[in-house]
Amino acid sequence: MKYILRFLLIPIIATVFKSVAVSINKNLVIRSATPTGDTTWDNWNGQVHVTPSAIFKPSSLDDLKDIVKLAKQKGKTIRCAAQGHSVSKLSYTQNYLVIVTELTQVTVQKDPKYDWTVTAEAGTPLSKLDDVLRKHDPPLTLDSETVYDSFRVSGVIAVGAHGAKTSSGIMSDQLVSMQIVTASGDVVTFSEEIYKQEFNAAKVNLGLFGIIYSVTFRVQPMYNLRMTDTLYPAKEWIKPQNIKNILEVSDGIEIFYWPFNGFNQGDPSHPDSSKDLIWLINFLLSNPLLTPNITASIWDTRVAIAGNTSTVLQAPDAFHYVPSVESLKVSLWEIGFKIDSDFSNVATEISFIIQTVNFRIIKSTEALLSTAFNHDPKALYFRLDLISAYGNPDWEEFIQLLGQRYFTNKYNAKPHWGKEWDTKPEIISYLSKALKEPIKQFEKVRAKYDPNKMFFDNKSLQDIFRGALGPQS
Ligand SMILES: Cc1cc2nc3c(=O)[nH]c(=O)nc-3n(C[C@H](O)[C@H](O)[C@H](O)COP(=O)(O)OP(=O)(O)OC[C@H]3O[C@@H](n4cnc5c(N)ncnc54)[C@H](O)[C@@H]3O)c2cc1C
């Protein structure tokens, strides 16, 4: 069994009315579209504050259909939220906000093609999915997952989230099928067998196809992962051949760099990054330019003390090696770009951002709006991931500087849809160009299922699509 090797690199530079239970309009019978009565919703770190005209928390498929029927009747648009950990404004709406966290049924079934599959309602947390699969006879697991297990299945699928396993790519690529309640109020099943082109659009849909009701993943027998934590001198280790070598003997790598971890707090001279180590575990926050003492302290007391370790864990425990810490609010920014065959651009960029970061390497996907979209199945994507304490005054300036480097023809990098990407206007025209072809293909499918744009209530996405498709769109 290969193992996941994680190196800790640098953390960071850096509703409304309470009725409508029954409403009858010709053929429309709306039984269960009842708003919660809440008037506001905030995402996890408080960065996104929504005051929609109604908030719904459906608990059945019929509820979803009725909410769509009600929206149609009242001329309202709909956006969805799951656990609310996205820090972009994808859930923002002034109309109907549908929060799917009450939809948590999970079933495991034998499958003629995939042996076993699991079907989870949209609001199922990954922790519950893991639990059901672990207790199944035989024990089962997904192939790769995000680090936090509090995320809900529709939330990670809609934005194209991923874990650290290189061969696995984005979680949407483990999907066998998904069911979406579209603008007509019908439940549409998307799968590779039914229509691959539409499935590739639906797999990362940003909530634009309708309300995801359920997703079905192929699963595999439970397996263990050895997680090896190693500390290397950063400047010496970051070479293309070292990166290539480590990937050859790993299923996935995660590299963290903790800025100024080599800073000697007793030495008043200027912080010297040449003494820094890269490491494998954990994330940290703070602005190194302002606070080398803090980052050095965290390194000394939390990371260096653990040293090099190697542990065998069941796969889900390895995926979620950092437990969800809901109270620790951070800002997040992540981009991905295609890796050169000799890994030279990876080594160059790790060296460049050594005053910065965490990275993972994942394979490409044919999911059209994924930031790792590529028809070449062998292409690998570099995921540069920044985390900082929420409210860091230098965060905006820092990610803007990095955006200027990566949102260029040279890298053609794309931002993670669930992290910060919609805060600066320049990103709109850049993404219109960078995603022009995939958006054209995506739009054909989107327009088929939502011609009147019930689910297209997001200004940034509207502007990106308009830029890619022309003003008539
Ligand atoms: C601390 C932290 C760690 C993270 N780690 C990782 C990581 O390891 N890997 C990674 O790739 N990402 C990571 N992310 C990003 C994360 O994966 C995404 O933000 C993901 O969307 C979170 O899931 P959620 O359930 O909170 O979704 P939400 O934020 O609630 O939803 C995201 C979007 O999906 C759409 N959506 C959700 N449910 C539905 C539905 N039923 N129907 C239609 N549309 C829907 C909506 O547009 C919504 O805005 C991390 C984020 C944080 C804050």
Side-chain angles (χ1 to χ4, degrees):
M1 173 68 64
K2 292 179 178 179
Y3 57 90
I4 276 191
L5 195 142
R6 311 154 309 153
F7 294 111
L8 276 198
L9 248 210
I10 299 184
I12 326 346
I13 302 190
T15 325
V16 190
F17 33 94
K18 187 95 184 144
S19 60
V20 200
V22 177
S23 162
I24 298 177
N25 175 20
K26 293 188 181 160
N27 298 328
L28 293 182
V29 180
I30 300 174
R31 292 183 194 86
S32 57
T34 309
T36 61
D38 297 336
T39 55
T40 62
W41 177 86
D42 290 278
N43 79 320
W44 158 77
N45 70 353
Q47 201 164 340
V48 183
H49 179 70
V50 188
T51 51
S53 65
I55 294 178
F56 299 88
K57 280 197 178 168
S59 57
S60 70
L61 177 57
D62 281 345
D63 289 355
L64 297 184
K65 291 180 187 167
D66 282 354
I67 292 165
V68 170
K69 284 180 192 166
L70 185 69
K72 209 170 172 182
Q73 197 183 86
K74 304 272 183 193
K76 298 287 189 184
T77 57
I78 297 176
R79 292 297 292 168
C80 295
Q83 184 66 6
H85 269 69
S86 292
V87 293
S88 61
K89 296 192 187 68
L90 283 178
S91 292
Y92 187 83
T93 180
Q94 293 185 321
N95 282 255
Y96 287 178
L97 178 66
V98 178
I99 302 171
V100 297
T101 49
E102 308 286 309
L103 290 162
T104 61
Q105 292 303 309
V106 180
T107 53
V108 179
Q109 51 273 320
K110 194 85 181 141
D111 185 274
K113 181 167 175 187
Y114 301 105
D115 199 12
W116 294 100
T117 60
V118 62
T119 301
E121 286 187 326
T124 307
L126 294 176
S127 54
K128 177 171 179 181
L129 191 64
D130 289 342
D131 231 38
V132 171
L133 291 170
R134 204 195 295 261
K135 288 176 182 149
H136 185 265
D137 182 13
L140 302 165
T141 179
L142 263 67
D143 194 38
S144 181
E145 297 176 41
T146 53
V147 174
Y148 270 34
D149 62 4
S150 53
F151 304 156
R152 314 276 172 150
V153 294
S154 62
V156 292
I157 293 305
V159 305
H162 59 89
K165 198 168 176 183
T166 305
S167 60
S168 200
I170 60 170
M171 289 184 67
S172 302
D173 276 349
Q174 298 174 60
L175 283 179
V176 170
S177 65
M178 64 198 299
Q179 287 193 303
I180 301 182
V181 179
T182 62
S184 62
D186 297 325
V187 186
V188 178
T189 301
F190 293 86
S191 79
E192 191 156 321
E193 275 76 23
I194 296 172
Y195 194 176
K196 184 173 176 186
Q197 197 178 334
E198 291 197 353
F199 191 45
N200 280 337
K203 278 202 290 193
V204 177
N205 61 60
L206 309 181
L208 296 174
F209 276 35
I211 310 175
I212 300 168
Y213 165 61
S214 70
V215 298
T216 299
F217 295 102
R218 58 177 193 277
V219 289
Q220 55 187 286
M222 175 61 78
Y223 65 96
N224 294 330
L225 285 166
R226 176 179 291 279
M227 298 187 70
T228 299
D229 291 353
T230 315
L231 304 178
Y232 291 106
K235 292 225 153 152
E236 285 164 37
W237 188 84
I238 300 167
K239 298 192 173 98
Q241 195 57 44
N242 287 340
I243 299 165
K244 218 171 170 176
N245 291 346
I246 204 73
L247 271 181
E248 275 169 14
V249 295
S250 315
D251 282 317
I253 63 169
E254 186 146 17
I255 300 181
F256 287 82
Y257 174 68
W258 203 280
F260 295 98
N261 67 70
F263 179 52
N264 177 356
Q265 298 181 65
D267 177 355
S269 62
H270 196 69
D272 175 8
S273 63
S274 69
K275 295 182 188 134
D276 287 352
L277 301 178
I278 52 169
W279 153 49
L280 83 113
I281 234 175
N282 243 335
F283 59 111
L284 252 245
L285 356 149
S286 194
N287 183 342
L289 297 175
L290 294 178
T291 57
N293 286 306
I294 296 175
T295 58
S297 295
I298 294 168
W299 175 271
D300 289 348
T301 57
R302 298 285 182 85
V303 183
I305 212 165
N308 298 343
T309 60
S310 189
T311 322
V312 175
L313 298 168
Q314 279 196 334
D317 299 324
F319 303 151
H320 313 300
Y321 64 87
V322 178
S324 298
V325 185
E326 304 296 317
S327 59
L328 191 59
K329 307 294 187 219
V330 296
S331 299
L332 300 104
W333 185 85
E334 177 178 335
I335 53 108
F337 60 80
K338 187 166 174 280
I339 293 176
D340 291 343
S341 57
D342 65 355
F343 289 87
S344 55
N345 58 348
V346 173
T348 302
E349 294 316 312
I350 298 177
S351 298
F352 171 72
I353 52 167
I354 196 131
Q355 302 158 25
T356 353
V357 189
N358 156 331
F359 82 72
R360 290 174 264 192
I361 292 177
I362 61 170
K363 69 168 192 164
S364 60
T365 172
E366 290 197 285
L368 291 168
L369 292 193
S370 167
T371 52
F373 169 70
N374 199 309
H375 289 303
D376 174 4
K378 290 193 184 137
L380 294 178
Y381 277 74
F382 180 69
R383 311 293 317 191
L384 170 61
D385 197 350
L386 303 182
I387 310 164
S388 176
Y390 186 59
N392 183 332
D394 297 316
W395 170 254
E396 285 294 326
E397 188 186 340
F398 179 59
I399 61 169
Q400 180 138 18
L401 279 172
L402 290 178
Q404 282 164 10
R405 182 176 178 92
Y406 295 111
F407 298 142
T408 54
N409 288 341
K410 180 176 176 194
Y411 291 99
N412 198 22
K414 322 279 181 344
H416 190 307
W417 293 112
K419 300 186 182 176
E420 280 186 28
W421 61 270
D422 50 0
T423 53
K424 291 279 172 292
E426 311 85 74
I427 194 71
I428 303 295
S429 57
Y430 170 75
L431 285 179
S432 292
K433 287 191 197 106
L435 293 172
K436 195 176 181 112
E437 287 312 312
I439 284 178
K440 277 185 186 166
Q441 295 171 54
F442 182 92
E443 175 61 12
K444 284 183 197 150
V445 191
R446 192 210 62 75
K448 173 178 168 186
Y449 291 103
D450 186 16
N452 297 320
K453 303 192 172 175
M454 180 188 281
F455 295 97
F456 211 159
D457 178 17
N458 181 281
K459 176 142 184 1
S460 299
L461 292 179
Q462 284 167 8
D463 290 346
I464 292 169
F465 274 54
R466 200 173 299 115
L469 302 167
Q472 307 306 327
S473 60

